[in-house]
Structures are given as structure tokens and as C-alpha cells.
Amino acid sequence: MLGNFSYCNPTKLYFGENSLSNLSDELNKYGDNVVLVYGTGSIKKNGIYDDIIKILKESNKNITEIEGVMPNPTVEKLYEGIEIARNHNANFILAVGGGSVCDFSKALSVSVNCNDDPWEKYFVRFEEPDCEIIPIGCVLTMVGTGSEMNGGSVITNEEKMLKNGRVFPANVNPKFSVLNP
């Protein structure tokens, strides 16, 4: 191995066949108003949606959903998500899906309490979050970029034909991620 480095990853990982059983313990560390974020419906087809809803209800969480997060999530979807999360008084975001769902959830976590336009602030000017950040957790259903344990986020602005990525500071990383291969 060449070179020296220091590595710190603040995301707690649960890996293995029964890793989802840790979700309720993690959920108990956060507020009651949970926003469940997922893609276009594969989690409903493969059954994990029902498992997640059961755990959320057993943990006495108030749930609202943001569904339909697409690959290369759009700023329009982000604006829609911000409104949903604000109306729900969200204090935790649970991303269930692949990298795009995780990316979207990180952008959402820094945008809900942001007074500026999040596209301009975070993805054009690349400013750091200076508002309350809503913590997130991830239940990964597809591996790819490591989005379940980093601060990276990519959002697409279709109108401006831009796909901008950025890495948020470590306090935006998911607090935990569940990976069941």
C-alpha cells in the first residue's frame, strides 16, 4: 500500500442476513415524525416495504412518504420533498432504496430547514449547511456508489440541463445504514 491516510466514517453499518432487525433500536434514538423515502416501487414488490412499515409502526412513529425518487433525482422532486417533510414536521428521514434515494435524502436533510433555495445554496454555490440538519438512516436495496455511508449527493436540474454533485460534511452522513446482501 502506498501513502498514508486517516479515515473516519461516522455511519454505523449493520451488515448481514438479519441486519434489518437492528432498525427498531436505531429508530428509538430519533424523533417520532419519520419521512420514508423510496423509489418507484420495487420495495413494494420485493416485500421490504411491508417489513419497514411494520417496524416503524411498532416503534410508534408517525409516518409520511415520499415515493417515486428516480435515478438522478431532480431538483423539482427535492422541492416536492421539502414541502412534504415540512408539513410533517419531520425529525428523521429513512431512505429505503439505492444510491439515488440515499442522495436525495441527504439533500432533503439539509434543505427542509434551509431559508435559501437549496439548489442555489448547495449545488451551485456549494455552501455548507448552516441550518438544522434532519438526521437520516438508510436501508440499502442496491449497492453502487457507497451513498449509504458518505456525504455525497447528486441532484439534477432538468431545466438548466445540469447534474451537480457535492459532498456534504460528515454530519450529513447517514447515522446508520442497513445492508442485507
Side-chain angles (χ1 to χ4, degrees):
M1 175 184 240
L2 297 175
N4 299 316
F5 66 90
S6 175
Y7 178 75
C8 175
N9 187 339
T11 302
K12 185 175 190 176
L13 296 178
Y14 293 99
F15 181 87
E17 188 175 335
N18 297 314
S19 55
L20 192 59
S21 65
N22 296 289
L23 182 58
S24 60
D25 289 339
E26 286 296 331
L27 289 171
N28 288 332
K29 298 175 185 177
Y30 302 99
D32 291 335
N33 297 329
V34 175
V35 176
L36 176 61
V37 178
Y38 55 94
T40 57
S42 65
I43 70 166
K44 290 184 176 179
K45 294 175 189 162
N46 68 23
I48 196 166
Y49 174 85
D50 293 333
D51 296 339
I52 298 285
I53 291 295
K54 180 180 178 193
I55 293 167
L56 286 165
K57 287 182 177 179
E58 287 173 351
S59 299
N60 296 314
K61 300 300 180 182
N62 304 313
I63 310 158
T64 194
E65 299 180 20
I66 299 173
E67 60 182 311
V69 175
M70 65 292 287
N72 303 309
T74 64
V75 69
E76 292 80 13
K77 188 69 177 176
L78 179 60
Y79 294 148
E80 175 190 322
I82 292 167
E83 184 176 338
I84 291 169
R86 284 179 179 165
N87 289 339
H88 188 61
N89 296 315
N91 44 37
F92 189 75
I93 298 167
L94 183 62
V96 182
S100 291
V101 171
C102 296
D103 281 7
F104 174 87
S105 295
K106 286 179 268 187
L108 182 65
S109 75
V110 298
S111 298
V112 172
N113 296 308
C114 180
N115 293 323
D116 297 320
D117 174 37
W119 169 258
E120 291 293 325
K121 180 177 180 76
Y122 299 129
F123 295 95
V124 174
R125 297 189 310 262
F126 297 99
E127 294 177 14
E128 299 300 330
D130 56 4
C131 60
E132 179 186 356
I133 298 167
I134 298 176
I136 72 168
C138 296
V139 177
L140 199 65
T141 62
M142 172 193 264
V143 297
T145 63
S147 189
E148 73 278 1
M149 59 181 188
N150 65 39
S153 182
V154 177
I155 297 294
T156 301
N157 188 320
E158 292 177 326
E159 179 183 316
K160 296 183 180 187
M161 297 186 348
L162 292 171
K163 178 180 171 182
N164 289 2
R166 61 107 15 102
V167 178
F168 289 107
N171 62 337
V172 179
N173 285 35
K175 301 304 177 199
F176 66 88
S177 288
V178 175
L179 295 82
N180 177 348

